[in-house]
């Protein structure tokens, strides 16, 4: 979490007090464990998972009602597992993915500006998704191919030819 968005997300979940959230925070390395654990303890129920392998990660994703994730490779994992999410467009290279998430999967996206993530935008995106899921909306995950992998492979092949 190079932008510290975990704290922004947890703050937004805390502000949406009409819902009873039980956050599951997944961290690759446990960076800022104490601060994040302290923030999580503001919720009645929570879990913090560190260093999960691929199978454990998939199991955690499937067990959640929804996620709040960056608009990078995580979106493909959540899409493949049919788990709805709020996308976070955190860097310029994620904007194409963010637009496709909004247009193709009709999922909300909050965008990071030079000032960071807007608390109002984040609360609005999370509230919008939760409200639609509570009304029974089923997210239709279609295929999104931004051809990023193909472009990278072409560049690598060009370097070695």
């Amino acid at each position: 979490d190079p932008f510290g968005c975990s704290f922004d997300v947890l703050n937004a979940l805390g502000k949406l007090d009409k819902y009873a959230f039980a956050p599951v925070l997944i961290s690759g390395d446990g960076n800022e464990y104490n601060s994040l654990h302290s923030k999580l303890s503001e919720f009645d129920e929570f879990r913090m998972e560190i260093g999960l392998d691929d199978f454990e990660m998939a199991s955690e994703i499937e067990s959640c009602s929804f996620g709040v994730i960056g608009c990078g490779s995580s979106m493909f994992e959540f899409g493949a597992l049919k788990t709805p999410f709020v996308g976070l467009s955190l860097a310029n290279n994620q904007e194409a993915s963010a637009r496709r998430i909004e247009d193709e999967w009709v999922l909300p996206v909050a965008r990071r500006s030079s000032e960071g993530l807007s608390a109002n935008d984040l609360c609005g995106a999370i509230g919008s998704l939760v409200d639609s899921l509570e009304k029974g909306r089923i997210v239709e995950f279609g295929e999104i191919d931004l051809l990023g992998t193909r472009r990278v492979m072409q560049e690598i092949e060009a370097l070695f030819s």
Side-chain angles (χ1 to χ4, degrees):
D1 183 8
F3 298 108
C5 295
S6 296
F7 293 101
D8 295 330
V9 171
L10 293 171
N11 284 329
L13 293 175
K15 288 180 181 178
L16 293 167
D17 56 7
K18 79 175 194 173
Y19 308 104
F21 294 114
V24 176
L25 188 131
I26 300 172
S27 173
D29 60 7
N31 190 26
E32 301 213 32
Y33 175 86
N34 291 333
S35 299
L36 286 168
H37 192 274
S38 176
K39 187 68 186 164
L40 281 164
S41 67
E42 295 174 12
F43 295 88
D44 291 338
E45 294 181 50
F46 69 90
R47 281 196 340 269
M48 186 170 180
E49 302 290 343
I50 299 170
L52 300 179
D53 66 29
D54 292 341
F55 294 105
E56 293 168 323
M57 176 75 89
S59 178
E60 288 294 335
I61 292 170
E62 284 183 311
S63 74
C64 293
S65 302
F66 70 96
V68 181
I69 61 171
C71 292
S73 60
S74 296
M75 68 180 228
F76 296 107
E77 295 167 340
F78 274 72
L81 296 167
K82 309 279 189 237
T83 302
F85 61 88
V86 170
L88 302 178
S89 182
L90 304 173
N92 290 340
N93 66 336
Q94 294 180 336
E95 189 52 33
S97 300
R99 284 193 303 273
R100 297 295 297 269
I101 288 167
E102 291 171 317
D103 296 342
E104 302 292 325
W105 290 347
V106 194
L107 289 168
V109 172
R111 288 170 169 80
R112 182 179 177 275
S113 69
S114 57
E115 292 85 37
L117 277 170
S118 159
N120 287 338
D121 290 349
L122 193 48
C123 286
I126 294 169
S128 170
L129 178 62
V130 172
D131 287 344
S132 73
L133 295 174
E134 286 183 345
K135 291 176 183 169
R137 176 176 177 230
I138 305 294
V139 177
E140 297 294 331
F141 288 98
E143 182 176 320
I144 292 182
D145 182 6
L146 301 174
L147 304 177
T149 303
R150 182 178 295 159
R151 284 192 301 271
V152 169
M153 291 306 297
Q154 287 172 345
E155 291 292 323
I156 291 170
E157 289 171 357
L159 289 172
F160 289 105
S161 62

